[in-house]
Amino acid sequence: MNAPPRIARRTSVCPHDCPSTCSLEVEVLDERTIGRVHGDPRQSYTAGVICAKVARYAERIHHPDRLTHPMIRTGAKGTRSFRRATWEEALDLVGEHFLAAEAAHGPQTVWPYYYAGTMGLVMRDGIHRLRHAKRYSGMFSSFCTNMAWTGYIAGTGRLAGPDPREMAKSDCVVIWGTNAVHTQVNVMTHAIRARKERGAKIVVVDIYDNATMKQADVKLLLRPGTDGALACAVMHVLFRDGLADWDYLRRYTDCPDDLAAHLETRTPAWGEAITGIPAGEIEAFARLVGETKRTFFRLGYGFTRQRNGAVNMHAAASIAAVTGAWLHEGGGAFHNNGAIYHWDKSLIEGHDLRDPSVRVLDQSQIGRVLTGDAQALAHGPPVTALLIQNTNPVSVAPEQELVKQGFAREDLFTVVHEQFLTETAAYADVVLPATMFLEHDDLYQGGGHQHIQIGPKIVEAPGECRTNHEVIAEIAKRVGASHRGFSMTPREIIDETLSASGWGSLEALEREVFKDVQPPFEKAHYLDGFAYPDGKFRFRPDWTTVPAPNAGAMGPWTQMPSLPDHWAVTEDRTQAHPFRLATSPARNFLNSTFTETPTSTAREARPSVMIHPADAAANAIADGDWVALENERGRVLVTAKLFEGVRRGVLIAEGIWPNCAHPDGRGINTLTGADQVAPYGGAAFHDIRVAIAPATP
């Protein structure tokens, strides 16, 4: 009997919008087919652990509904009426309409729009090369990171921190504002190792008793948007009880005496009134982190997606400076390691052609942009042509009613390059089929760790799918855009980018598989000084000069507190809208990705909202009932899930289901606002006031 063929395993890296950027081993069955996806145990941070949705990636890459050929719209926008087209016909139509739009309104009428459907540097960011070559409108990326990065950098001066593998060497791991079991499972690998090997305590701070909180030794369940109050009450205890490290504070921070005086009134009782956490629990948490020098604060994104998010992140990060935890291996505050890579992306993005006078439009305000809001348009021409890659704004952008109204415009020409016929693609005039990560070459960095890795092409794409890079280059030909990057291969771009950034060559990276670029302990822990000219951690940041990515000051920045505090600027409950809603991540989806795979949708079941049983009873709602969530922006139908692990007055809706999964075709971001958050903008996805009532679907 012949032995079964040996399944080859190829190294790759997960491209999805997650801090873990997991290193993978992929079973390759033949030139077009993969089997199971495994974590690569050789990578020291992800350590062979991956999430279940990526482990079953074969469901996604071989899905029967994948787009495999270009299509041109034949019916009304949004009705999914298309005919098959050739690549030449489709691209020629794109070029014709882009040039016509430019002739009528100038180049800024065209808006290349993208986000993090892939985190690969070439396939994600190459769209900027076309933007700059043609002087098309710029895009300010505001969906995800603004409040978190700004709040962290406000203290440290730089988006980098201690080696995240040090969690395993900690005596206390504080997982703050991130449901890591759902969104970055590798955090749990190192935290649980610390507990097993060192007896470390795991503390989880969050707004509901989620999968991560169920792993905790200490649970701190607070009201949404009150993290700054918790942090200040903790620091009050640290100063009051002699647990602040004054030697560290004098050497490494800007105004410790002012902070201590400011916090004298921020008592645990004050904190309890705001957060809902009993004062005794705040006291105990403060003593734990004050007496445990090796405390590692793993600070997430979720708790910053509030209108006071930057202030909350800064306050939470400040605790480690008060205790002096930065001095110790296994101590400090970590959020993201983006600054350690020092990429030179001038070739990828075409920086040599960038014109700073070209307007920049806010990604989160796409609904306002497309419906002609003069302020959102920066008082410039209308947007009459869109190129969309790597994002699905008709599902994920705030103010969905405006977004759909804008996409339905007959005078708007939209081309969408996608893997599935998403709800955004349904509104397109031209739909182009895109490759997935195993079908092209790309370059990746870890957000939650410290590795650079190449993701090579390991299988052929189905049908006529083309890469983002190919599509950008072909459109460039048709609209008269010139740059040497358009004629290079992805591998050539990767090789030159690595060299220009000081990371060697593509050939060397392929030999190494993973390049660990974690800075030395002293630099990572800022023992040589924080990244401000005086080397001091900023308790009192100048919010409008924080060196975080930005497009200028936005939102009510003049009202921001000068020192860590509770900033009561969230969308507060009212008599008409008495509940706070957070749209937290689902375990089996990643934003709107994986909503098309059968196992993920089966496990998530249907759109639902968690509500405390007492609130449900008070509103005549039973478990499984259809309910309407409503505010001034719209109305959404979901089912009720009675859950004691959420505070009264708080609702949790996990995951971004497609609009079509809701009975009336309105998804959860119908309820989300697009007002800009201080100081540098962003979308407050978890800061929504609503009413809830029984409903009939």
Side-chain angles (χ1 to χ4, degrees), residues 13-36:
V13 56
C14 179
H16 290 289
D17 187 10
C18 163
S20 288
T21 322
C22 292
S23 297
L24 308 176
E25 287 186 340
V26 182
E27 296 177 359
V28 179
L29 308 185
D30 60 43
E31 65 177 7
R32 293 186 178 273
T33 314
I34 69 164
R36 187 78 175 170

Side-chain angles (χ1 to χ4, degrees), residues 84-286:
R84 184 167 181 165
T86 66
W87 270 100
E88 289 300 306
E89 180 187 15
L91 288 168
D92 286 349
L93 187 63
V94 172
E96 173 189 332
H97 277 270
F98 279 18
L99 289 172
E102 181 180 349
H105 300 285
Q108 293 181 63
T109 195
V110 182
W111 194 18
Y113 189 94
Y114 80 108
Y115 202 53
T118 177
M119 297 294 279
L121 303 187
V122 176
M123 300 302 168
R124 183 189 65 193
D125 300 333
I127 195 170
H128 291 302
R129 196 182 322 117
L130 177 63
R131 183 193 315 278
H132 297 326
K134 285 295 296 179
R135 299 179 69 252
Y136 291 155
S137 281
M139 190 194 81
F140 177 50
S141 296
S142 58
F143 274 169
C144 178
T145 64
N146 294 56
M147 294 87 86
W149 288 8
T150 302
Y152 185 85
I153 296 169
T156 62
R158 185 170 182 260
L159 188 63
D163 187 333
R165 292 168 295 195
E166 290 181 29
M167 279 184 284
K169 300 176 181 180
S170 179
D171 295 323
C172 178
V173 179
V174 180
I175 301 172
W176 195 314
T178 178
N179 187 0
V181 171
H182 284 196
T183 62
Q184 43 180 324
V185 66
N186 310 94
V187 168
M188 304 310 299
T189 301
H190 298 279
I192 291 172
R193 181 182 168 193
R195 180 161 61 192
K196 287 180 177 179
E197 296 181 2
R198 302 178 59 84
K201 297 293 186 184
I202 298 176
V203 181
V204 175
V205 181
D206 218 313
I207 60 172
Y208 69 117
D209 191 10
N210 54 39
T212 304
M213 192 170 274
K214 293 183 189 305
Q215 300 288 327
D217 301 295
V218 177
K219 301 180 181 183
L220 296 170
L221 184 69
L222 78 174
R223 297 182 180 121
T226 64
D227 303 80
L230 173 60
C232 287
V234 167
M235 290 187 286
H236 167 94
V237 174
L238 296 173
F239 282 114
R240 183 197 70 193
D241 293 354
L243 296 171
D245 187 334
W246 278 102
D247 289 340
Y248 182 87
L249 286 163
R250 297 276 187 231
R251 181 175 178 184
Y252 286 105
T253 70
D254 63 339
C255 57
D257 297 286
D258 291 350
L259 178 65
H262 165 71
L263 294 172
E264 285 180 0
T265 60
R266 273 58 173 178
T267 65
W270 170 87
E272 177 179 353
I274 296 170
T275 67
I277 300 173
E281 294 183 19
I282 296 174
E283 295 265 6
F285 175 46

Side-chain angles (χ1 to χ4, degrees), residues 21 137 197 300 308 339 374 382 387 396 455 457 536 558 573 575 595 616:
T21 322
S137 281
E197 296 181 2
N308 57 5
L387 168 62
V396 305
K457 176 180 177 179
K536 305 286 190 179
T558 58
R573 298 181 295 169
Q575 186 173 358
T595 59

Side-chain angles (χ1 to χ4, degrees), residues 205-385:
V205 181
D206 218 313
I207 60 172
Y208 69 117
D209 191 10
N210 54 39
T212 304
M213 192 170 274
K214 293 183 189 305
Q215 300 288 327
D217 301 295
V218 177
K219 301 180 181 183
L220 296 170
L221 184 69
L222 78 174
R223 297 182 180 121
T226 64
D227 303 80
L230 173 60
C232 287
V234 167
M235 290 187 286
H236 167 94
V237 174
L238 296 173
F239 282 114
R240 183 197 70 193
D241 293 354
L243 296 171
D245 187 334
W246 278 102
D247 289 340
Y248 182 87
L249 286 163
R250 297 276 187 231
R251 181 175 178 184
Y252 286 105
T253 70
D254 63 339
C255 57
D257 297 286
D258 291 350
L259 178 65
H262 165 71
L263 294 172
E264 285 180 0
T265 60
R266 273 58 173 178
T267 65
W270 170 87
E272 177 179 353
I274 296 170
T275 67
I277 300 173
E281 294 183 19
I282 296 174
E283 295 265 6
F285 175 46
R287 286 194 299 272
L288 175 62
V289 301
E291 294 169 357
T292 309
K293 292 302 184 183
R294 293 178 187 269
T295 293
F296 194 105
F297 290 84
R298 183 58 177 86
L299 304 172
Y301 286 96
F303 79 107
T304 71
R305 291 179 181 140
Q306 309 275 342
R307 287 167 177 79
N308 57 5
V311 170
N312 291 344
M313 170 64 84
H314 176 247
S318 294
I319 300 173
V322 173
T323 65
W326 289 97
L327 292 168
H328 307 280
E329 186 177 33
F334 179 84
H335 172 61
N336 183 289
N337 247 343
I340 70 174
Y341 299 104
H342 51 74
W343 292 113
D344 180 341
K345 292 200 290 183
S346 54
L347 174 60
I348 292 175
E349 299 189 3
H351 290 172
D352 51 319
L353 300 179
R354 181 177 178 273
D355 181 349
S357 70
V358 171
R359 71 175 175 184
V360 177
L361 305 178
D362 187 340
Q363 169 189 54
S364 296
Q365 295 197 332
I366 184 171
R368 302 184 189 191
V369 167
L370 296 184
T371 53
D373 183 289
Q375 185 172 349
L377 285 164
H379 303 283
V383 168
T384 61

Side-chain angles (χ1 to χ4, degrees), residues 526-538:
Y526 297 102
L527 301 186
D528 56 355
F530 287 91
Y532 283 108
D534 61 0
K536 305 286 190 179
F537 182 94
R538 291 285 188 269

